[in-house]
Amino acid sequence: MKPFDPSRKPPELNHIPGHIAVVMDGNGRWANQRGLTRTEGHRAGEPALLDVVAGAIEAGVKQLTAFAFSTENWKRSPEEVRFLMGFNRDVLRRRRDLLNEWNVKILWSGRRSKLWPSVITELEAAQELTKHNTGLTLVMAVNYGGRQEIVDAAQALVDRASEGKRVKVSERLFSKQLYQPRMPDVDLVIRSSGEMRLSNYLLWESSYAELIFREELWPEFTRELLWECIAEYSNRTRRFGKAVDSPLN
């Protein structure tokens, strides 16, 4: 991994997305292509994430959300699930001091249900350690599912109503029930490995996000590729439902 260098800047970009969400896909395929087990691919994905975090800082991105473990990942083999639980826990323990030095604020988005207590402990410790940092916010989506987040938010409003509280549902009120109520809308979703789908990721928050799909497998991803994605984003026109009448001459 290339070290973080505050003086190092990406190429000049017209517009920087405030919030980028990444789907770190392709670890298993990267490993299998090299005759390795899927777990070795997950290990190789760790430095790629750190490099992308450094690149996001250098580009001036305010928030980066990384899809580390989905609610659907429990369907994988027991051996891989055990590895991923332990790996997420150990990465947080191993890297939180470095991220703290980079002035990164770490947050967790996801469900407590089924998640290993030791993983929750490390997530909460990382949040506590970095809570006063003012640089990039790194959200780790662990045991996260977009539909489940929406269902949980709806249930929270139902519970309020059942307590006799008057509830007038609005987008703003609904957003306050999400796992990270202060999370800004996603501007750019990047997925590695060539797959072209969201996979139940930040469905509410990404309603107007730009989508970029890259062929590179996640362990091959670098800050330079991140900057290429930001450059492509910068050249897109975001209308948010508006339209401009431009008849051809």
Side-chain angles (χ1 to χ4, degrees):
M1 186 197 75
K2 300 173 186 176
F4 171 51
D5 181 357
S7 65
R8 186 164 178 252
K9 299 296 181 184
E12 185 174 344
L13 300 167
N14 298 325
H15 184 54
I16 306 297
H19 183 187
I20 297 177
V22 292
V23 182
M24 304 180 290
D25 194 20
N27 292 328
R29 274 169 283 170
W30 180 91
N32 290 166
Q33 288 173 5
R34 290 159 176 77
L36 303 172
T37 61
R38 292 177 56 83
T39 55
E40 292 304 312
H42 295 306
R43 287 193 178 94
E46 179 184 347
L49 175 59
L50 288 170
D51 199 40
V52 167
V53 169
I57 295 170
E58 290 161 347
V61 176
K62 294 181 179 178
Q63 182 156 319
L64 180 71
T65 300
F67 208 0
F69 188 90
S70 78
T71 50
E72 286 73 35
N73 287 157
W74 295 107
K75 300 174 185 177
R76 296 187 178 184
S77 70
E79 294 77 17
E80 186 170 358
V81 168
R82 281 196 296 272
F83 173 82
L84 287 171
M85 285 293 100
F87 185 64
N88 276 284
R89 177 195 62 210
D90 296 343
V91 167
L92 286 162
R93 184 182 300 157
R94 186 165 57 244
R95 299 299 189 178
R96 66 188 178 204
D97 288 337
L98 174 64
L99 292 169
N100 189 44
E101 291 175 10
W102 289 0
N103 196 29
V104 171
K105 184 178 197 177
I106 301 172
L107 296 176
W108 166 39
S109 184
R111 305 192 88 214
R112 301 179 77 90
S113 175
K114 294 179 70 173
L115 195 56
W116 284 14
S118 60
V119 178
I120 295 174
T121 296
E122 294 302 329
L123 285 163
E124 292 179 340
Q127 288 186 138
E128 180 64 24
L129 174 68
T130 64
K131 65 181 180 181
H132 296 302
N133 289 346
T134 57
L136 175 78
T137 296
L138 174 63
V139 180
M140 299 300 296
V142 182
N143 199 23
Y144 175 87
R147 286 185 175 181
Q148 190 63 61
E149 180 180 35
I150 291 170
V151 169
D152 287 346
Q155 185 62 56
L157 292 176
V158 169
D159 292 344
R160 288 180 58 178
S162 67
E163 295 171 358
K165 299 176 182 178
R166 184 175 180 273
V167 177
K168 184 178 180 181
V169 180
S170 64
E171 286 191 17
R172 183 178 180 183
L173 178 61
F174 193 88
S175 295
K176 290 182 178 179
Q177 315 308 313
L178 299 175
Y179 297 148
Q180 284 295 335
R182 296 183 179 181
M183 177 184 285
D185 285 348
V186 176
D187 297 304
L188 172 61
V189 176
I190 301 171
R191 181 172 187 147
S192 59
S193 87
E195 301 292 348
M196 298 184 184
R197 55 180 176 269
L198 286 175
S199 294
N200 197 23
Y201 186 40
L202 297 174
L203 301 181
W204 179 274
E205 299 87 346
S206 298
S207 58
Y208 269 101
E210 297 294 317
L211 309 178
I212 293 179
F213 303 101
R214 298 287 306 212
E215 292 293 330
E216 296 85 1
L217 302 175
W218 181 251
E220 302 166 339
F221 218 86
T222 64
R223 69 185 76 182
E224 286 79 13
L225 292 176
L226 173 72
W227 295 342
E228 287 182 19
C229 292
I230 294 174
E232 181 178 340
Y233 167 89
S234 299
N235 291 324
R236 294 187 182 183
T237 300
R238 308 186 73 204
R239 299 188 182 90
F240 298 97
K242 299 177 183 178
V244 177
D245 193 15
S246 302
L248 295 175
N249 294 328

